[in-house]
Amino acid sequence: MDPFMQAAIEEAQQGLAEGGIPIGSVIVHEGRIIGRGHNRRVQQGSAIRHGEMDAFENAGRQSAQTYRESVLYTTLSPCSMCSGAILLYGIPRVVIGENQTFMGEEELLRSRGVQVEVVQDPTCVALMRDFIAAKPELWNEDIGE
């Protein structure tokens, strides 16, 4: 398995262990993780701390050039908020663990020139399927349905 997707999965598993939603993300620049995060909406009472947003926050301030040379890995197809951040910072490539349990804004990303790769990783699918089955009310709150 890709070590960066594995790192995103580890973030998702950490979020689940904390009582949160199991979605993780890492931002990679020149073969090195510069930001990692997981969904912390439950843990922090946050409206915006999705996995990708947490990874951006934890990466700290980066130059526009760094973002343009980075790859974002996420265990789940990114929602409109997270896709907006990807576009805002010019991330050129996104690797998605799965989009079976939730289809985010992949077409928007592609339409703006982002290379989107969906790997349909069985661990990512199982994490979300099990979580949604166990806590549908929390999932529906997070994704705004």
Side-chain angles (χ1 to χ4, degrees):
M1 170 181 286
D2 183 309
F4 300 125
M5 183 55 70
Q6 183 59 45
I9 290 170
E10 289 166 7
E11 284 291 325
Q13 290 167 332
Q14 182 179 341
L16 184 62
E18 294 170 356
I21 298 164
I23 303 168
S25 182
V26 296
I27 301 169
V28 177
H29 180 254
E30 295 182 345
R32 185 175 65 84
I33 295 173
I34 61 170
R36 59 174 53 230
H38 54 273
N39 187 301
R40 296 180 197 258
R41 289 191 71 241
V42 174
Q43 301 91 312
Q44 296 185 353
S46 171
I48 62 167
R49 226 48 196 271
H50 284 188
E52 300 91 337
M53 301 299 279
D54 196 45
F56 276 116
E57 183 68 17
N58 291 331
R61 288 178 62 193
Q62 299 293 329
S63 71
Q65 185 66 33
T66 297
Y67 290 126
R68 287 194 300 267
E69 297 170 347
S70 293
V71 179
L72 184 139
Y73 290 76
T74 181
T75 58
L76 186 65
S77 187
C79 74
S80 54
M81 174 179 66
C82 296
S83 294
I86 290 164
L87 294 174
L88 177 67
Y89 292 110
I91 302 290
R93 181 170 173 242
V94 176
V95 180
I96 297 168
E98 68 103 350
N99 63 6
Q100 295 175 18
T101 60
F102 175 76
M103 174 58 78
E105 298 292 337
E106 295 173 24
E107 287 310 311
L108 171 64
L109 292 171
R110 286 186 183 102
S111 77
R112 298 282 295 274
V114 177
Q115 179 188 347
V116 175
E117 178 184 348
V118 183
V119 297
Q120 300 301 12
D121 179 83
T123 302
C124 294
V125 174
L127 269 170
M128 285 310 299
R129 282 208 174 125
D130 294 348
F131 175 78
I132 292 167
K135 299 190 175 177
E137 71 291 339
L138 191 52
W139 170 243
N140 289 332
E141 171 197 318
D142 184 67
I143 212 60
E145 297 198 0

